[in-house]
Amino acid sequence: MRNRINIAEIPGISPTIKDYLNLGESLTPYYKRTLSFDNLVIQAKDKLSSFSYRSELSEELYNQHKNLDLSDKQKENLLKISQDYTVTITTGHQLNLMSGPLYFIYKILHVIKLCDVMNRDQKDYHFVPIYWMATEDHDFNEINHFYVQNKKYEWKGKHTDFVGELSTQELKSVLSEYYESLKYFPKGKELRSIIEQSYFSRSNLSDATRFFVHKLFKEYGLLIIDGNSKNLKKLFIPWVEKDIKEQKSYQIISDTIKLLKPLYKIQVNPRKINFFYHENKERHRIDETNGKYYILGTCNNFSQKEILNQLNENPQKFSPNALMRPVYQEVILPNVAYIGGNAEISYWLELKKYFDNQKIHFPILIPRNSFLLINESQERKMDMYNWKGKRLFLPKKDIIDSVVQQKSDFKFDFLSYKERIQNIFSDLLKESEHTDPSWKNMILAQQKKQLNGLNKINTRFYKAERIKNHELISNFENLHLEIFPHSTWQERIENFSYYYSIYGKKFFNYLYNEISEFESVMNIITI
């Protein structure tokens, strides 16, 4: 099976993403350019007209990669990042154990393929793929586990520090069971070696994740950046200072949210100050009251002069929140596009007016490719239920009702009966126009009562048919759980390692070839 569906056509996708992909007028004020080959070239020209941190970025990336065994393509990209014609396309992600859900792999491969296509089809600019490590995230419970074939492997404990600075000392015991199981897979030895060299040999999660991702994607030329760097944060001091003194981001983003909220779900709300203060292995929010700056959860507070002195002397102590991280990224990188998940794209749209106010180029936003991977046995079962294409993403109850109706000896045509009842009451309403107006309300009440009764009959019918076809339904529910583990998309639960331990690098190459670089699609493939 090979099927490709536009993300905007999938049932249940958020209205924000649907309108963004369908170029809905209500969202046009919140981005600058949509994705196309020509727009990426124009965006590159615009970005390079004002990007001024080339040498600092080049030096930092060199230092962050100097202890890695670089491929020729990575060496070329590191060299070219110092050149005035080079731009980047970026994705970001948390430091999930073993990379976390499958979509982490999809995001990075989408970035890589888009850069490759741009470099192949034009020569004015060089495009470099970047993975931004979210080392300053502190939500340990989001990154401390992964699933393989629905089995959960979890790093337990309580941590409040930046996840990037967590010690990897415990990971040998956490990963030991899965590590040992890899012995029995064709490419298990290769994956065991990567785990040994990353999680068992690096002292903190930042270094371990960098090495892990590097080993997976080095041949594709991917560069990896850690924004938790004093040298990089020095470049961002003017924007942190403005946020502390003027609180412009709060004002502008709040105004945007007021306009978006009646139409769309808001992903992230701004705070008066959108930075954390990091000290003694803990990250705390900065808040301001009557000219005093408080580090919430501690006894520390500063005057404006004192906190600005802290910023200039120790910029590494100031950490951007989810709304300011994109701003930080776009200031220090010659970036032209960002590839992310639906929720990420939604909160980036909240930022456009703030970018304009700060005279920062707003990148092209690209909802990433998605995949649903099925095996041949699952495909045969899906054919039995005629469960394919967009129907895959309908609510499970709707699919079961459809299956029951197909298999039932007695066909209860609910919609036909409903239409007949509605026609009868429509005629009665017309008759009521010629007599007492009070009849209309009585007729409408009776119509509602009769339709409710019909609904109950319909529900009872399906309940009876479900009992009769319980084995068929049970088999379908088991299949549904295989395709949608934990009742959600496979890519949000399963880890890549099961497929990698069987196919090795061929798995990535296969996904790479299937990615539609200029579209946001769901790829349904039999593997």
Side-chain angles (χ1 to χ4, degrees):
M1 178 188 292
R2 180 178 279 108
N3 194 5
R4 183 174 282 171
I5 306 171
N6 188 298
I7 290 290
E9 297 175 4
I10 294 177
I13 291 296
S14 74
T16 310
I17 297 303
K18 283 188 177 181
D19 284 356
Y20 178 69
L21 291 174
N22 291 331
L23 308 181
E25 289 185 8
S26 56
L27 284 179
T28 52
Y30 306 106
Y31 59 90
K32 187 173 184 180
R33 295 187 178 98
T34 54
L35 175 61
S36 71
F37 178 90
D38 290 341
N39 279 349
L40 282 170
V41 172
I42 294 168
Q43 189 81 10
K45 181 180 179 181
D46 280 0
K47 181 71 180 187
L48 294 180
S49 68
S50 61
F51 183 65
S52 55
Y53 297 131
R54 179 77 58 182
S55 61
E56 296 92 336
L57 174 65
S58 178
E59 182 180 356
E60 181 67 24
L61 281 173
Y62 173 80
N63 287 331
Q64 291 191 19
H65 287 79
K66 65 183 179 183
N67 295 323
L68 301 174
D69 55 327
L70 301 178
S71 68
D72 290 342
K73 197 167 183 179
Q74 285 176 314
K75 290 175 184 176
E76 178 189 14
N77 282 337
L78 271 177
L79 181 64
K80 288 192 172 181
I81 205 79
S82 65
Q83 303 300 312
D84 290 341
Y85 55 81
T86 296
V87 293
T88 61
I89 296 177
T90 302
T91 193
H93 199 70
Q94 296 164 295
L95 308 191
N96 293 69
L97 194 57
M98 289 289 294
S99 81
L102 268 163
Y103 68 76
F104 173 81
I105 303 298
Y106 306 155
K107 288 166 81 169
I108 290 182
L109 286 173
H110 194 166
V111 169
I112 289 167
K113 187 168 185 182
L114 186 54
C115 286
D116 286 348
V117 170
M118 293 305 297
N119 291 333
R120 182 193 70 195
D121 293 345
Q122 58 80 47
K123 299 303 176 187
D124 291 334
Y125 306 102
H126 184 73
F127 287 74
V128 172
I130 296 283
Y131 161 51
W132 181 290
M133 297 199 302
T135 59
E136 297 178 71
D137 187 87
H138 70 295
D139 195 337
F140 178 71
N141 291 330
E142 285 194 5
I143 63 98
N144 69 341
H145 61 276
F146 65 102
Y147 290 88
V148 178
Q149 294 291 277
N150 219 25
K151 179 176 173 59
K152 186 177 185 180
Y153 297 88
E154 186 174 10
W155 179 9
K156 294 183 179 177
K158 188 175 182 180
H159 301 277
T160 56
D161 196 7
F162 287 173
V163 293
E165 298 185 5
L166 297 179
S167 169
T168 56
Q169 190 173 357
E170 301 171 353
L171 288 184
K172 198 158 191 175
S173 60
V174 172
L175 295 173
S176 60
E177 182 186 355
Y178 181 62
Y179 176 79
E180 290 302 318
S181 73
L182 289 169
K183 289 178 181 177
Y184 308 104
F185 289 84
K187 299 297 181 181
K189 184 177 179 180
E190 179 183 336
L191 191 51
R192 276 163 63 96
S193 176
I194 296 173
I195 293 171
E196 286 173 6
Q197 295 176 72
S198 53
Y199 294 114
F200 296 174
S201 303
R202 266 60 188 179
S203 61
N204 62 53
L205 194 58
S206 285
D207 290 343
T209 303
R210 179 188 286 110
F211 191 85
F212 188 79
V213 175
H214 163 71
K215 292 299 284 187
L216 294 177
F217 296 103
K218 58 183 282 190
E219 301 306 328
Y220 294 96
L222 180 73
L223 298 186
I224 301 165
I225 189 167
D226 181 357
N228 188 20
S229 154
K230 184 174 182 178
N231 291 330
L232 292 178
K233 286 188 174 180
K234 277 183 182 177
L235 308 178
F236 198 50
I237 286 175
W239 285 270
V240 186
E241 185 172 319
K242 284 179 188 176
D243 205 63
I244 289 171
K245 290 169 63 176
E246 303 173 12
Q247 299 170 12
K248 271 283 177 61
S249 64
Y250 175 73
Q251 300 164 22
I252 295 169
I253 297 169
S254 293
D255 288 344
T256 294
I257 286 174
K258 285 177 186 175
L259 297 172
L260 288 171
K261 199 168 186 177
L263 301 173
Y264 305 107
K265 179 183 177 182
I266 300 303
Q267 289 295 329
V268 183
N269 286 289
R271 299 190 182 277
K272 287 169 65 178
I273 297 173
N274 290 287
F275 288 88
F276 296 90
Y277 188 78
H278 184 233
E279 194 171 46
N280 299 325
K281 295 190 175 183
E282 290 191 344
R283 183 174 90 153
H284 297 278
R285 276 180 45 217
I286 304 170
D287 198 17
E288 180 267 337
T289 304
N290 298 325
K292 276 281 186 183
Y293 294 83
Y294 296 89
I295 311 304
L296 300 183
T298 76
C299 297
N300 292 344
N301 64 81
F302 302 98
S303 66
Q304 186 178 96
K305 182 178 180 181
E306 288 169 339
I307 199 167
L308 294 179
N309 285 340
Q310 280 286 316
L311 172 62
N312 283 281
E313 292 170 11
N314 300 292
Q316 73 279 6
K317 289 187 175 184
F318 291 77
S319 173
N321 69 2
L323 283 173
M324 283 297 107
R325 190 210 63 79
V327 183
Y328 179 35
Q329 172 189 298
E330 296 302 311
V331 165
I332 67 173
L333 290 177
N335 202 51
V336 296
Y338 184 80
I339 294 179
N342 294 343
E344 289 179 280
I345 299 304
S346 296
Y347 75 69
W348 271 83
L349 293 168
E350 298 175 25
L351 301 175
K352 172 63 164 54
K353 301 294 185 183
Y354 179 71
F355 270 73
D356 292 347
N357 178 269
Q358 298 298 303
K359 296 181 170 52
I360 305 169
H361 288 282
F362 194 71
I364 294 171
L365 302 178
I366 308 170
R368 60 173 171 79
N369 270 214
S370 290
F371 283 84
L372 176 57
L373 309 176
I374 61 174
N375 60 42
E376 291 177 351
S377 172
Q378 290 167 337
E379 183 178 9
R380 287 193 296 271
K381 293 174 185 176
M382 290 160 69
D383 286 342
M384 287 171 48
Y385 295 102
N386 191 29
W387 189 41
K388 58 185 70 174
K390 295 175 194 174
R391 278 173 55 81
L392 279 166
F393 301 94
L394 291 172
K396 183 171 68 172
K397 180 185 177 300
D398 292 357
I399 301 298
I400 290 175
D401 285 350
S402 174
V403 169
V404 166
Q405 193 164 32
Q406 288 173 34
K407 300 296 181 182
S408 175
D409 297 328
F410 170 66
K411 305 296 182 185
F412 178 64
D413 192 351
F414 169 74
L415 292 178
S416 172
Y417 283 110
K418 182 178 179 181
E419 184 178 357
R420 285 158 68 181
I421 288 174
Q422 287 174 328
N423 288 338
I424 289 170
F425 279 93
S426 176
D427 291 341
L428 285 171
L429 285 170
K430 286 179 183 176
E431 293 290 339
S432 73
E433 293 174 1
H434 305 294
T435 183
D436 192 316
S438 64
W439 276 32
K440 180 178 180 181
N441 292 334
M442 184 181 71
I443 293 167
L444 288 172
Q446 279 296 319
Q447 180 184 35
K448 184 177 179 180
K449 183 177 179 180
Q450 297 305 319
L451 289 174
N452 285 341
L454 186 63
N455 277 325
K456 288 178 182 178
I457 293 170
N458 187 52
T459 301
R460 184 69 61 87
F461 165 76
Y462 278 111
K463 185 176 180 180
E465 291 299 304
R466 280 194 183 94
I467 293 170
K468 191 192 302 183
N469 293 283
H470 70 277
E471 186 176 348
L472 181 76
I473 293 168
S474 178
N475 290 339
F476 175 78
E477 288 179 329
N478 290 336
L479 176 63
H480 194 279
L481 196 59
E482 289 179 26
I483 306 297
F484 293 98
H486 295 234
S487 299
T488 189
W489 287 13
Q490 174 196 69
E491 63 180 34
R492 297 172 184 167
I493 298 294
E494 284 291 323
N495 185 258
F496 83 100
S497 57
Y498 171 74
Y499 300 96
Y500 196 92
S501 63
I502 298 172
Y503 304 107
K505 292 286 179 69
K506 287 182 180 178
F507 175 56
F508 284 5
N509 292 338
Y510 182 65
L511 294 174
Y512 174 95
N513 290 330
E514 293 292 328
I515 282 172
S516 179
E517 62 274 8
F518 287 107
E519 296 178 289
S520 298
V521 297
M522 166 64 76
N523 299 282
I524 305 169
I525 52 179
T526 304
I527 188 168

